[in-house]
Each structure stands twice: as structure tokens, then as C-alpha cells.
């Protein structure tokens, strides 16, 4: 079963709890797969984390773990390579053709590797995904001659957004947490 099929299965089962607007898969801490399910529109959004059997997760720490790894992975994918990997690769190709600076091929290869690491949705949010995107981003930054990491700085400055997202999931959780 593909991940897309798995998400469709979870969405179909979750529909018993309301109108499903999204499902994301997570494996926080390398543990079992959980599914963060959104219900309704933004201003009235509600949430559930379901386990592999489609049962609501009630343990607050598990809900927090699932929501935070999903948020961190989404941010990492959005921020990697300045958030515009395809445009960056096009710019690098143009620089190679026009200016031919030393090391441009390495930068192009690193940008392509980062694009592969980020991948396309759907994906499972895992600590390993964060590591892979981080390593590929660092390789690109080094190939571009960066001495500091704009990606790391952007991720660090986004911790408040992750915390707010986790709080939103808890506030809008459809069942009581313990």
C-alpha cells in the first residue's frame, strides 16, 4: 500500500468524526505511525491524531509529538534552499552557463540532492527526514560558500510557530486528552 493509499484509508475512517480537510502521517521519535487529521476550515479547525487502527490518540504527549514533528518537517521542507529550490537550480544553471565560476557544478549537484531530500508530498514526518534535509541543506550552503547557515537560523526562528501549531492542535482537539 502506498502512502497516498494509506492516507486515503485514514481519511475515510476519520470522516466518522467530521469533514476531513487534511491528513498527514508522522512517526515521531521513530515510533509507530500516527496520523494528524484536520477537520473543517481554518477559523473553526479541529484536530485528531489517529493510530494505525484509526483510533483517536488520547495521550497528550503523543499528540504533541505528532503535531510538532509534522510542523517541523513542513517548515524544513518550506525553508530548505530558501524555499525556492527549483528557482535556485535554474539560477545556478544560468550562472554556470554565463560565468562558469569554480565549484558551480558542486552547488548544482547539492541543490539537486536537496530537492530530492525534500521530496514531494505526501511524506511521513520523521526525525530522519529532518536530518536528511538538514544535511543536504548544509552541503548546499557550503557549496555556495556560506560560512553561517541561513537554514539553521530560519528553523531556529520558527520554533515559536511550531509551539503555536502544537497549542492550536491541543486547543482544537476533538476528544479529551490525558
Amino acid at each position: 500500500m502506498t502512502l497516498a493509499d494509506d492516507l486515503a484509508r485514514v481519511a475515510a475512517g476519520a470522516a466518522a468524526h467530521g469533514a476531513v480537510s487534511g491528513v498527514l502521517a508522522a512517526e515521531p521519535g521513530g515510533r509507530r505511525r500516527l496520523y494528524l487529521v484536520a477537520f473543517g476550515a481554518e477559523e473553526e479547525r479541529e484536530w485528531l491524531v489517529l493510530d494505525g487502527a484509526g483510533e483517536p490518540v488520547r495521550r497528550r504527549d503523543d499528540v504533541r509529538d505528532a503535531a510538532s514533528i509534522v510542523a517541523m518537517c513542513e517548515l524544513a521542507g518550506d525553508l530548505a534552499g530558501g524555499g525556492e529550490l527549483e528557482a535556485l537550480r535554474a539560477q545556478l544553471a544560468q550562472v554556470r552557463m554565463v560565468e562558469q565560476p569554480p565549484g558551480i557544478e558542486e552547488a548544482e549537484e547539492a541543490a539537486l540532492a536537496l530537492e530530492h531530500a525534500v521530496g514531494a508530498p505526501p511524506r511521513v514526518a520523521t526525525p530522519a527526514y529532518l536530518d536528511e534535509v538538514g544535511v543536504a541543506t548544509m552541503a548546499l550552503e557550503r557549496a555556495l560558500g556560506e560560512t553561517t547557515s541561513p537554514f539553521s537560523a530560519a528553523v531556529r526562528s520558527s520554533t515559536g510557530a511550531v509551539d503555536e501549531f502544537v497549542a492550536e492542535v491541543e486547543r482544537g482537539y476533538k476528544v479529551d486528552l490525558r
Side-chain angles (χ1 to χ4, degrees):
M1 175 182 303
T2 68
L3 179 57
D5 292 337
D6 195 29
L7 294 174
R9 174 190 63 81
V10 171
H17 300 281
V20 175
S21 55
V23 179
L24 296 169
E27 292 176 1
R31 297 190 307 255
R32 65 190 170 137
R33 183 167 296 173
L34 300 173
Y35 302 89
L36 179 62
V37 183
F39 298 88
E42 281 188 41
E43 57 276 347
E44 299 171 3
R45 182 146 299 145
E46 293 181 297
W47 301 91
L48 267 179
V49 174
L50 301 177
D51 64 17
E55 294 297 317
V57 172
R58 294 183 178 271
R59 190 170 171 266
R60 185 176 303 274
D61 286 346
D62 290 339
V63 170
R64 285 180 180 162
D65 289 348
S68 64
I69 194 69
V70 162
M72 288 186 294
C73 288
E74 291 297 314
L75 278 169
D78 289 347
L79 296 171
E84 299 291 332
L85 283 171
E86 191 174 318
L88 174 63
R89 289 187 55 229
Q91 289 172 343
L92 290 171
Q94 184 175 8
V95 167
R96 179 180 35 81
M97 289 187 298
V98 174
E99 300 173 27
Q100 301 174 350
I104 191 67
E105 291 86 5
E106 180 186 354
E108 285 183 294
E109 290 171 12
L112 180 60
L114 177 56
E115 191 171 39
H116 287 293
V118 168
R123 63 179 151 260
V124 179
T126 65
Y129 174 81
L130 288 176
D131 290 344
E132 186 177 347
V133 170
V135 167
T137 300
M138 190 179 309
L140 174 60
E141 290 170 342
R142 286 184 182 148
L144 293 173
E146 294 284 347
T147 56
T148 61
S149 175
F151 175 75
S152 292
V155 169
R156 276 193 304 276
S157 71
S158 299
T159 58
V162 172
D163 292 342
E164 179 51 37
F165 178 73
V166 172
E168 175 191 325
V169 169
E170 286 182 286
R171 280 191 307 271
Y173 208 66
K174 285 178 132 324
V175 298
D176 291 333
L177 293 169
R178 33 175 206 257

